[in-house]
Amino acid sequence: MATRLKPVDVVTVGVGMTGAILGKEMAALGLKVVGLERGPQLDTVPDFQSPNMHDELRFAVRKALMQDNTKEAVTARNNSDQTALPIRRWDSFLPGTGTGGAMVHWNGQTYRFQVADFIYKTHIEKRYGKKFLDPDLQIQDWGVTYDELEPHYDRFEYLCGTSGKAGNIKGKIQAGGNPFEGWRSREYPTPPMKEHYAGALFRKAVTNLGYHPFPQPSSNLSQPYTNPEGLSMQTCSFCGFCERFGCEHYAKSSPQTIILPAALKMSNYELRTGCQVLRINLDKDKKKATGVTYVDAAGREFEQPADLVLLTAFSLNNVRMLLLSGIGKPYDPKTGEGVVGRNYAYQTMNSAQIFYDESVNINPFMASGSSGTLIDDLSGDNFDHGPLKFIGGAYVGAINTNGRPIEYRPTPPGTPKWGADWKKAVVRHYNHTVNLNGHGGSTASRQNYLDLDPTYKDAWGLPLLRITFDFPDNDIRMARYIGDQMKKIGEEMGGKQVAVQAREKSWNTTVYQTTHNTGGAVMGTDPKTSAVNRYLQSWDVSNLFVVGASAFPQNSCYNPTGTVGALTYWAAEALKRYVKSPGAMG
Amino acid sequence: MERYFLYFTTVILFSLSARAAEPDVKAGEQIALKGTSAGATACIACHGTRTEENKSAAFPRLVNQSQFYLAAQLKDYATGARNNAIMNPIAKALTDQEKENVAAYYANISFPTPKGKKPAAAVLKRGETLAKVGDEKIQVQACNNCHGPGGIGMPPAIPPLAGQHAEYLQAQLVAWKQGQRKNSLDLMAPIAQRLSEKDMQALAAYFSQVQVK
């Protein structure tokens, strides 16, 4: 029997980036806020300190900072005819756990989406006609525009202290930045990161080819920075342990370095860790949330009543919590009806390696998670897709995030996978290889969706989330085109051999791609095709907001964190109005 | 025209110095023992030789230093990025090649950590905590993240702290805190600024007694 706790004003389900920002913003209004986090409290000191943190086996291979999938897995399949199986070892994507969530182990790559991304359906139909799209594609407008989000992108980047070079300030193109980007109101808070040698080789080659290179925006900082919350960051030392690791150095923007301490300073904000939320409770007619039920680390069940529930978990867990709580109509791929689970999308990742002779020393171990050199010429709708017969694109860049001893082992195609010849090849190529990344968008389609698994349950007896996903044909055509361009760039970079892996079917859960799982509780202006309105408020339960990449109607080609941050501040502004006069805002 | 000539000369000189010839350890030894005719005084008076250490705590120990780090410090003394009334003129008097030579001479020496007066247990404990774990309250990360386990250094760029004289270590932290030492300012100043005088003393005391095997 659940113990009923004293009611509070606001509860956040999850204390990652969205939960920490909204928790702080709501507490600043004087509301009593409780942040519920299933994982432990994690702090730079002592949790992220060396030498423990540089344990590649523990954190990168065994993924110690991730959601515990012995308790709570996700099942996966490629299409509705298959039986999904639980992912018992995270590989394709890595949901985090503990305070800070996935923004602890991210690489700090901090992008904005394109102006056209937010009006994707309107834009594509206008430019290419209504018959251009494959029939299975299900793209939508967001219900919010780039211009509306700009101040919130700005606020998030200044919270993070993001290091970069603007390419477009108020419509004026800036030398050295990305000329394709949407306008920004001012320069990045800190200057770009140092360019590594791989980036310099890439810059030279793409300049020769007529492309427009720019430094990757990075939330591992290039210099000390104090953000508007009064929290200070330090300089990245290029240790090469960003992705899958916490930053030992106060140099990576994570909730514990940029926002959470500001929330914890307020007496009306309370963090409770080790609390697994089981469901959002609803009133009799299912129009209002009454709070949440959770189990603490000792197995005791509690009911936490709250006037306002903010679903701020990882995108997949946001969708699962809606389904477990019976909020919103589940999506049915056969009829195309229903909204929860609809338009799940991912990322279409392409890669290439350029193998040099031994006179070219890359030193891949001098790395940071986001210090690459990129081009945006092939991103989104920055090029004419008319003759190409697909939509979407990819940013391409030399992004060298690490040269760690266990997993960084580039070898040319045809090298044996083990034994003496493999070892020889590893020694030969370790320091003489550049990796290219072709980070492609993911187009929402009718057949890709999320629902509850009919068979497998978590440690608390609740159904796991089931992913049904494969790359739509459109995205495969896009990947092949991007792969061809990467090959040309690789050849221009002067290596002896270029190997390209354009993404092919089918989605494979045993190979890391990205942790950019999007959609499933998408935002929009029509309750028939979206689970939340343009303020991320549930259409069905007005005192519930669902915040995260779960709101993306489809995924752009950029890493999602910047846009999740912008949406979070956009929702925070809406919530300030909501608190004054509660009710549906649609 | 003259300006162009100067420019090209500078470029050529720069590329020459960037690719300085292999260091000459023998020549480095001569500088260490006798100084140079250009006015650099002999190093041994304060820093001892490769085989015999000057034990005065007034001068930093050169134990376990990489050639890269020593040469970089000499260059920074020459430009004023490091400020020291004794070292600035000496470094200015050395050519880049001489700096490399003398750095090669003093590189990778090994001497045991001298036995000094043992600091108070509480001071040592605080120093050890800061060195190994850091302190979330003042947002200071563990020194050993970058300076290596036990502060043995992360060559070539990051110097050892283990066994260094406490006076020297503390003076460097103070110099970063006050902005007088300008090399590695981005990395070290924010840390030094968060450390109280007591914390600096504790760290210096702790590292000065760590044994290097």
mmCIF file of all heavy atoms in Angstrom, chain A residues 130-162:
data_model
loop_
_atom_site.group_PDB
_atom_site.id
_atom_site.type_symbol
_atom_site.label_atom_id
_atom_site.label_comp_id
_atom_site.label_asym_id
_atom_site.label_seq_id
_atom_site.Cartn_x
_atom_site.Cartn_y
_atom_site.Cartn_z
ATOM 1 N N LYS A 130 3.610 18.075 -53.492
ATOM 2 C CA LYS A 130 3.021 17.126 -52.538
ATOM 3 C C LYS A 130 3.310 15.678 -52.895
ATOM 4 O O LYS A 130 3.197 14.787 -52.070
ATOM 5 C CB LYS A 130 1.508 17.345 -52.461
ATOM 6 C CG LYS A 130 1.167 18.631 -51.727
ATOM 7 C CD LYS A 130 -0.280 18.716 -51.315
ATOM 8 C CE LYS A 130 -0.448 19.971 -50.469
ATOM 9 N NZ LYS A 130 -1.737 20.185 -49.910
ATOM 10 N N LYS A 131 3.661 15.414 -54.166
ATOM 11 C CA LYS A 131 3.844 14.023 -54.587
ATOM 12 C C LYS A 131 5.296 13.569 -54.457
ATOM 13 O O LYS A 131 5.635 12.451 -54.827
ATOM 14 C CB LYS A 131 3.382 13.865 -56.037
ATOM 15 C CG LYS A 131 1.870 13.966 -56.159
ATOM 16 C CD LYS A 131 1.433 13.793 -57.600
ATOM 17 C CE LYS A 131 -0.080 13.976 -57.694
ATOM 18 N NZ LYS A 131 -0.484 14.385 -59.046
ATOM 19 N N PHE A 132 6.159 14.428 -53.934
ATOM 20 C CA PHE A 132 7.588 14.125 -53.890
ATOM 21 C C PHE A 132 7.926 13.048 -52.862
ATOM 22 O O PHE A 132 8.860 12.264 -53.039
ATOM 23 C CB PHE A 132 8.351 15.415 -53.579
ATOM 24 C CG PHE A 132 9.838 15.291 -53.761
ATOM 25 C CD1 PHE A 132 10.399 15.230 -55.031
ATOM 26 C CD2 PHE A 132 10.695 15.245 -52.665
ATOM 27 C CE1 PHE A 132 11.769 15.125 -55.209
ATOM 28 C CE2 PHE A 132 12.059 15.133 -52.834
ATOM 29 C CZ PHE A 132 12.606 15.080 -54.108
ATOM 30 N N LEU A 133 7.151 13.004 -51.804
ATOM 31 C CA LEU A 133 7.487 12.118 -50.675
ATOM 32 C C LEU A 133 7.103 10.670 -50.936
ATOM 33 O O LEU A 133 6.064 10.392 -51.529
ATOM 34 C CB LEU A 133 6.730 12.581 -49.425
ATOM 35 C CG LEU A 133 7.136 13.890 -48.783
ATOM 36 C CD1 LEU A 133 6.187 14.208 -47.640
ATOM 37 C CD2 LEU A 133 8.568 13.817 -48.276
ATOM 38 N N ASP A 134 7.931 9.739 -50.446
ATOM 39 C CA ASP A 134 7.531 8.327 -50.413
ATOM 40 C C ASP A 134 6.233 8.218 -49.610
ATOM 41 O O ASP A 134 6.062 8.940 -48.613
ATOM 42 C CB ASP A 134 8.599 7.481 -49.695
ATOM 43 C CG ASP A 134 9.852 7.301 -50.544
ATOM 44 O OD1 ASP A 134 9.897 7.857 -51.663
ATOM 45 O OD2 ASP A 134 10.784 6.622 -50.065
ATOM 46 N N PRO A 135 5.341 7.291 -50.020
ATOM 47 C CA PRO A 135 4.038 7.214 -49.334
ATOM 48 C C PRO A 135 4.137 6.837 -47.854
ATOM 49 O O PRO A 135 3.225 7.147 -47.083
ATOM 50 C CB PRO A 135 3.269 6.144 -50.121
ATOM 51 C CG PRO A 135 4.255 5.508 -51.033
ATOM 52 C CD PRO A 135 5.427 6.418 -51.183
ATOM 53 N N ASP A 136 5.222 6.173 -47.432
ATOM 54 C CA ASP A 136 5.275 5.772 -46.015
ATOM 55 C C ASP A 136 5.729 6.909 -45.096
ATOM 56 O O ASP A 136 5.660 6.780 -43.875
ATOM 57 C CB ASP A 136 6.214 4.561 -45.840
ATOM 58 C CG ASP A 136 7.662 4.888 -46.177
ATOM 59 O OD1 ASP A 136 7.893 5.664 -47.140
ATOM 60 O OD2 ASP A 136 8.564 4.387 -45.476
ATOM 61 N N LEU A 137 6.178 8.005 -45.649
ATOM 62 C CA LEU A 137 6.712 9.077 -44.798
ATOM 63 C C LEU A 137 5.586 9.875 -44.150
ATOM 64 O O LEU A 137 4.523 10.057 -44.730
ATOM 65 C CB LEU A 137 7.631 9.995 -45.606
ATOM 66 C CG LEU A 137 8.844 9.298 -46.237
ATOM 67 C CD1 LEU A 137 9.727 10.304 -46.942
ATOM 68 C CD2 LEU A 137 9.652 8.523 -45.190
ATOM 69 N N GLN A 138 5.864 10.330 -42.951
ATOM 70 C CA GLN A 138 4.816 10.959 -42.148
ATOM 71 C C GLN A 138 5.382 12.217 -41.478
ATOM 72 O O GLN A 138 5.403 12.317 -40.254
ATOM 73 C CB GLN A 138 4.356 9.926 -41.106
ATOM 74 C CG GLN A 138 3.065 10.237 -40.425
ATOM 75 C CD GLN A 138 2.431 8.976 -39.827
ATOM 76 O OE1 GLN A 138 1.538 8.391 -40.410
ATOM 77 N NE2 GLN A 138 2.893 8.559 -38.651
ATOM 78 N N ILE A 139 5.901 13.133 -42.292
ATOM 79 C CA ILE A 139 6.535 14.319 -41.704
ATOM 80 C C ILE A 139 5.492 15.344 -41.290
ATOM 81 O O ILE A 139 4.385 15.374 -41.846
ATOM 82 C CB ILE A 139 7.575 14.951 -42.655
ATOM 83 C CG1 ILE A 139 6.946 15.375 -43.968
ATOM 84 C CG2 ILE A 139 8.726 13.989 -42.883
ATOM 85 C CD1 ILE A 139 7.897 16.151 -44.875
ATOM 86 N N GLN A 140 5.861 16.159 -40.312
ATOM 87 C CA GLN A 140 4.918 17.139 -39.752
ATOM 88 C C GLN A 140 5.638 18.442 -39.409
ATOM 89 O O GLN A 140 6.850 18.451 -39.197
ATOM 90 C CB GLN A 140 4.309 16.582 -38.444
ATOM 91 C CG GLN A 140 3.518 15.327 -38.640
ATOM 92 C CD GLN A 140 2.901 14.766 -37.378
ATOM 93 O OE1 GLN A 140 2.454 13.621 -37.397
ATOM 94 N NE2 GLN A 140 2.856 15.539 -36.290
ATOM 95 N N ASP A 141 4.852 19.511 -39.318
ATOM 96 C CA ASP A 141 5.371 20.762 -38.762
ATOM 97 C C ASP A 141 5.356 20.651 -37.236
ATOM 98 O O ASP A 141 4.616 19.860 -36.671
ATOM 99 C CB ASP A 141 4.496 21.944 -39.198
ATOM 100 C CG ASP A 141 4.625 22.223 -40.704
ATOM 101 O OD1 ASP A 141 5.450 21.550 -41.360
ATOM 102 O OD2 ASP A 141 3.898 23.091 -41.200
ATOM 103 N N TRP A 142 6.173 21.487 -36.606
ATOM 104 C CA TRP A 142 6.332 21.379 -35.153
ATOM 105 C C TRP A 142 5.271 22.160 -34.375
ATOM 106 O O TRP A 142 5.058 21.917 -33.194
ATOM 107 C CB TRP A 142 7.707 21.895 -34.730
ATOM 108 C CG TRP A 142 8.847 21.037 -35.158
ATOM 109 C CD1 TRP A 142 9.104 20.599 -36.427
ATOM 110 C CD2 TRP A 142 9.884 20.511 -34.323
ATOM 111 N NE1 TRP A 142 10.261 19.836 -36.438
ATOM 112 C CE2 TRP A 142 10.759 19.773 -35.161
ATOM 113 C CE3 TRP A 142 10.168 20.612 -32.970
ATOM 114 C CZ2 TRP A 142 11.882 19.123 -34.675
ATOM 115 C CZ3 TRP A 142 11.298 19.973 -32.481
ATOM 116 C CH2 TRP A 142 12.141 19.228 -33.334
ATOM 117 N N GLY A 143 4.711 23.174 -35.012
ATOM 118 C CA GLY A 143 3.788 24.049 -34.276
ATOM 119 C C GLY A 143 4.518 25.173 -33.563
ATOM 120 O O GLY A 143 3.906 26.017 -32.907
ATOM 121 N N VAL A 144 5.836 25.170 -33.686
ATOM 122 C CA VAL A 144 6.640 26.269 -33.140
ATOM 123 C C VAL A 144 7.668 26.583 -34.229
ATOM 124 O O VAL A 144 8.089 25.679 -34.960
ATOM 125 C CB VAL A 144 7.300 25.889 -31.794
ATOM 126 C CG1 VAL A 144 8.307 24.762 -31.962
ATOM 127 C CG2 VAL A 144 7.964 27.089 -31.122
ATOM 128 N N THR A 145 8.016 27.857 -34.368
ATOM 129 C CA THR A 145 8.941 28.213 -35.448
ATOM 130 C C THR A 145 10.340 28.486 -34.892
ATOM 131 O O THR A 145 10.519 28.703 -33.694
ATOM 132 C CB THR A 145 8.481 29.491 -36.180
ATOM 133 O OG1 THR A 145 8.506 30.583 -35.254
ATOM 134 C CG2 THR A 145 7.076 29.311 -36.749
ATOM 135 N N TYR A 146 11.286 28.525 -35.822
ATOM 136 C CA TYR A 146 12.661 28.831 -35.428
ATOM 137 C C TYR A 146 12.723 30.202 -34.754
ATOM 138 O O TYR A 146 13.383 30.370 -33.724
ATOM 139 C CB TYR A 146 13.585 28.800 -36.650
ATOM 140 C CG TYR A 146 15.012 29.132 -36.292
ATOM 141 C CD1 TYR A 146 15.878 28.145 -35.855
ATOM 142 C CD2 TYR A 146 15.484 30.444 -36.340
ATOM 143 C CE1 TYR A 146 17.174 28.443 -35.486
ATOM 144 C CE2 TYR A 146 16.780 30.759 -35.976
ATOM 145 C CZ TYR A 146 17.626 29.757 -35.546
ATOM 146 O OH TYR A 146 18.908 30.065 -35.170
ATOM 147 N N ASP A 147 12.024 31.182 -35.341
ATOM 148 C CA ASP A 147 12.068 32.540 -34.777
ATOM 149 C C ASP A 147 11.551 32.563 -33.339
ATOM 150 O O ASP A 147 12.087 33.283 -32.491
ATOM 151 C CB ASP A 147 11.235 33.512 -35.632
ATOM 152 C CG ASP A 147 11.940 33.839 -36.943
ATOM 153 O OD1 ASP A 147 13.046 33.296 -37.183
ATOM 154 O OD2 ASP A 147 11.386 34.623 -37.739
ATOM 155 N N GLU A 148 10.528 31.766 -33.078
ATOM 156 C CA GLU A 148 10.007 31.707 -31.706
ATOM 157 C C GLU A 148 11.013 31.060 -30.752
ATOM 158 O O GLU A 148 11.095 31.420 -29.586
ATOM 159 C CB GLU A 148 8.694 30.909 -31.676
ATOM 160 C CG GLU A 148 7.506 31.672 -32.235
ATOM 161 C CD GLU A 148 6.254 30.809 -32.322
ATOM 162 O OE1 GLU A 148 6.332 29.669 -32.849
ATOM 163 O OE2 GLU A 148 5.193 31.271 -31.879
ATOM 164 N N LEU A 149 11.759 30.092 -31.272
ATOM 165 C CA LEU A 149 12.693 29.366 -30.397
ATOM 166 C C LEU A 149 14.039 30.060 -30.232
ATOM 167 O O LEU A 149 14.790 29.736 -29.307
ATOM 168 C CB LEU A 149 12.931 27.947 -30.941
ATOM 169 C CG LEU A 149 11.842 26.903 -30.686
ATOM 170 C CD1 LEU A 149 12.299 25.543 -31.190
ATOM 171 C CD2 LEU A 149 11.486 26.800 -29.203
ATOM 172 N N GLU A 150 14.356 30.987 -31.124
ATOM 173 C CA GLU A 150 15.698 31.578 -31.113
ATOM 174 C C GLU A 150 16.134 32.079 -29.742
ATOM 175 O O GLU A 150 17.227 31.748 -29.262
ATOM 176 C CB GLU A 150 15.813 32.686 -32.172
ATOM 177 C CG GLU A 150 17.248 33.013 -32.579
ATOM 178 C CD GLU A 150 18.074 33.762 -31.553
ATOM 179 O OE1 GLU A 150 17.480 34.519 -30.746
ATOM 180 O OE2 GLU A 150 19.304 33.606 -31.527
ATOM 181 N N PRO A 151 15.298 32.882 -29.046
ATOM 182 C CA PRO A 151 15.738 33.358 -27.721
ATOM 183 C C PRO A 151 16.011 32.220 -26.740
ATOM 184 O O PRO A 151 16.837 32.368 -25.827
ATOM 185 C CB PRO A 151 14.564 34.207 -27.219
ATOM 186 C CG PRO A 151 13.606 34.322 -28.346
ATOM 187 C CD PRO A 151 13.961 33.362 -29.419
ATOM 188 N N HIS A 152 15.335 31.102 -26.951
ATOM 189 C CA HIS A 152 15.494 29.974 -26.030
ATOM 190 C C HIS A 152 16.733 29.139 -26.379
ATOM 191 O O HIS A 152 17.396 28.615 -25.489
ATOM 192 C CB HIS A 152 14.212 29.140 -26.018
ATOM 193 C CG HIS A 152 12.993 29.983 -25.746
ATOM 194 N ND1 HIS A 152 12.752 30.555 -24.521
ATOM 195 C CD2 HIS A 152 12.013 30.416 -26.570
ATOM 196 C CE1 HIS A 152 11.652 31.290 -24.590
ATOM 197 N NE2 HIS A 152 11.180 31.225 -25.823
ATOM 198 N N TYR A 153 17.023 29.051 -27.679
ATOM 199 C CA TYR A 153 18.320 28.479 -28.076
ATOM 200 C C TYR A 153 19.440 29.315 -27.451
ATOM 201 O O TYR A 153 20.398 28.789 -26.883
ATOM 202 C CB TYR A 153 18.494 28.541 -29.603
ATOM 203 C CG TYR A 153 18.000 27.343 -30.374
ATOM 204 C CD1 TYR A 153 17.034 27.483 -31.367
ATOM 205 C CD2 TYR A 153 18.531 26.074 -30.156
ATOM 206 C CE1 TYR A 153 16.607 26.392 -32.126
ATOM 207 C CE2 TYR A 153 18.103 24.988 -30.901
ATOM 208 C CZ TYR A 153 17.139 25.152 -31.879
ATOM 209 O OH TYR A 153 16.732 24.074 -32.614
ATOM 210 N N ASP A 154 19.301 30.615 -27.594
ATOM 211 C CA ASP A 154 20.323 31.529 -27.066
ATOM 212 C C ASP A 154 20.500 31.325 -25.563
ATOM 213 O O ASP A 154 21.620 31.209 -25.057
ATOM 214 C CB ASP A 154 19.889 32.971 -27.364
ATOM 215 C CG ASP A 154 20.887 33.983 -26.841
ATOM 216 O OD1 ASP A 154 21.899 34.212 -27.522
ATOM 217 O OD2 ASP A 154 20.667 34.523 -25.732
ATOM 218 N N ARG A 155 19.382 31.253 -24.872
ATOM 219 C CA ARG A 155 19.456 31.102 -23.417
ATOM 220 C C ARG A 155 20.137 29.789 -23.033
ATOM 221 O O ARG A 155 20.958 29.747 -22.108
ATOM 222 C CB ARG A 155 18.042 31.161 -22.829
ATOM 223 C CG ARG A 155 18.076 31.254 -21.333
ATOM 224 C CD ARG A 155 16.735 31.586 -20.745
ATOM 225 N NE ARG A 155 16.836 31.529 -19.302
ATOM 226 C CZ ARG A 155 15.796 31.436 -18.494
ATOM 227 N NH1 ARG A 155 14.566 31.414 -18.984
ATOM 228 N NH2 ARG A 155 15.965 31.365 -17.200
ATOM 229 N N PHE A 156 19.793 28.736 -23.772
ATOM 230 C CA PHE A 156 20.392 27.434 -23.457
ATOM 231 C C PHE A 156 21.894 27.443 -23.737
ATOM 232 O O PHE A 156 22.688 26.941 -22.947
ATOM 233 C CB PHE A 156 19.701 26.322 -24.251
ATOM 234 C CG PHE A 156 20.251 24.950 -23.941
ATOM 235 C CD1 PHE A 156 20.066 24.384 -22.680
ATOM 236 C CD2 PHE A 156 20.968 24.234 -24.881
ATOM 237 C CE1 PHE A 156 20.583 23.129 -22.373
ATOM 238 C CE2 PHE A 156 21.492 22.977 -24.592
ATOM 239 C CZ PHE A 156 21.298 22.429 -23.332
ATOM 240 N N GLU A 157 22.291 28.027 -24.857
ATOM 241 C CA GLU A 157 23.724 28.068 -25.172
ATOM 242 C C GLU A 157 24.494 28.906 -24.147
ATOM 243 O O GLU A 157 25.635 28.584 -23.801
ATOM 244 C CB GLU A 157 23.939 28.640 -26.579
ATOM 245 C CG GLU A 157 23.548 27.659 -27.676
ATOM 246 C CD GLU A 157 23.204 28.321 -29.003
ATOM 247 O OE1 GLU A 157 23.276 29.566 -29.097
ATOM 248 O OE2 GLU A 157 22.837 27.610 -29.940
ATOM 249 N N TYR A 158 23.879 29.958 -23.662
ATOM 250 C CA TYR A 158 24.552 30.773 -22.642
ATOM 251 C C TYR A 158 24.538 30.089 -21.278
ATOM 252 O O TYR A 158 25.399 30.358 -20.432
ATOM 253 C CB TYR A 158 23.975 32.193 -22.601
ATOM 254 C CG TYR A 158 24.709 33.081 -23.587
ATOM 255 C CD1 TYR A 158 24.492 32.940 -24.952
ATOM 256 C CD2 TYR A 158 25.690 33.977 -23.170
ATOM 257 C CE1 TYR A 158 25.204 33.685 -25.867
ATOM 258 C CE2 TYR A 158 26.407 34.731 -24.079
ATOM 259 C CZ TYR A 158 26.161 34.591 -25.424
ATOM 260 O OH TYR A 158 26.887 35.314 -26.329
ATOM 261 N N LEU A 159 23.558 29.212 -21.071
ATOM 262 C CA LEU A 159 23.590 28.386 -19.862
ATOM 263 C C LEU A 159 24.784 27.426 -19.935
ATOM 264 O O LEU A 159 25.523 27.243 -18.973
ATOM 265 C CB LEU A 159 22.288 27.580 -19.732
ATOM 266 C CG LEU A 159 22.178 26.695 -18.494
ATOM 267 C CD1 LEU A 159 21.801 27.531 -17.272
ATOM 268 C CD2 LEU A 159 21.147 25.592 -18.699
ATOM 269 N N CYS A 160 24.965 26.817 -21.113
ATOM 270 C CA CYS A 160 26.048 25.834 -21.310
ATOM 271 C C CYS A 160 27.410 26.512 -21.469
ATOM 272 O O CYS A 160 28.438 25.882 -21.248
ATOM 273 C CB CYS A 160 25.786 24.993 -22.553
ATOM 274 S SG CYS A 160 24.378 23.890 -22.416
ATOM 275 N N GLY A 161 27.421 27.760 -21.942
ATOM 276 C CA GLY A 161 28.700 28.411 -22.260
ATOM 277 C C GLY A 161 29.296 27.915 -23.564
ATOM 278 O O GLY A 161 30.511 27.995 -23.777
ATOM 279 N N THR A 162 28.445 27.425 -24.441
ATOM 280 C CA THR A 162 28.883 26.736 -25.668
ATOM 281 C C THR A 162 29.961 27.497 -26.438
ATOM 282 O O THR A 162 29.860 28.712 -26.647
ATOM 283 C CB THR A 162 27.658 26.500 -26.576
ATOM 284 O OG1 THR A 162 26.653 25.850 -25.793
ATOM 285 C CG2 THR A 162 28.019 25.642 -27.773
#
